[in-house]
Amino acid sequence: MGIAALITWLITALGGFYLLFTWISKGGPNKPSTSRFRPALIFSHFALAAIGLVLWIIYVIVDNDTLAWIAFVLLVPVALLGLAMFRRWLPTYRNRAAAAADAPAEKHFPVAIVGGHGLFAVITVVLVLLTALEVGGS
């Protein structure tokens, strides 16, 4: 189950990297007046998720239960920050009338990537928790 969690975490990370790249390339950090996302929100979500992923990779290699729990604990604020970003993104997505010139960077997020990132994130959290609880013989 630990390997399955690693795979879903990597898939989630790929989607997150794509969304981060899109946000940065469309001027997200440079458009504080139009973006609903603050750089601190984006980068703290990214940093905590990346640290957790590194710890999870180490966990898979050494099978240390403490690392599994630390990774899970890190995922809790990552998930809450992700939910906050999703809630801030929804009105931007729904406002299709915004002009392209003044549209926030997150307006350019593909819906499929946002949905896939969220779906795989939920699966990852569940798999990490089940692994930390030693359900399924990790």
Side-chain angles (χ1 to χ4, degrees):
M1 193 167 315
I3 298 293
L6 177 62
I7 291 168
T8 60
W9 203 327
L10 289 170
I11 293 168
T12 304
L14 288 174
F17 282 134
Y18 181 82
L19 294 171
L20 178 63
F21 174 78
T22 301
W23 186 74
I24 291 171
S25 66
K26 298 297 182 181
N30 302 324
K31 293 183 176 182
S33 61
T34 60
S35 179
R36 298 177 67 89
F37 297 162
R38 298 295 168 248
L41 175 65
I42 296 281
F43 292 115
S44 60
H45 177 75
F46 167 75
L48 288 172
I51 292 167
L53 177 57
V54 169
L55 289 174
W56 193 256
I57 291 169
I58 296 169
Y59 161 76
V60 168
I61 294 168
V62 301
D63 194 26
N64 180 316
D65 291 342
T66 303
L67 288 175
W69 281 107
I70 293 170
F72 175 73
V73 167
L74 283 173
L75 278 178
V76 172
V78 169
L80 293 173
L81 291 169
L83 184 59
M85 287 189 289
F86 179 72
R87 289 183 59 152
R88 289 180 180 197
W89 173 77
L90 275 177
T92 303
Y93 167 71
R94 290 179 180 157
N95 184 10
R96 299 181 194 274
D102 64 345
E106 57 271 18
K107 178 93 172 150
H108 302 279
F109 290 171
V111 175
I113 302 293
V114 172
H117 180 70
L119 175 65
F120 276 96
V122 169
I123 293 169
T124 300
V125 170
V126 170
L127 288 175
V128 168
L129 176 60
L130 292 175
T131 303
L133 291 170
E134 299 182 4
V135 173
S138 64

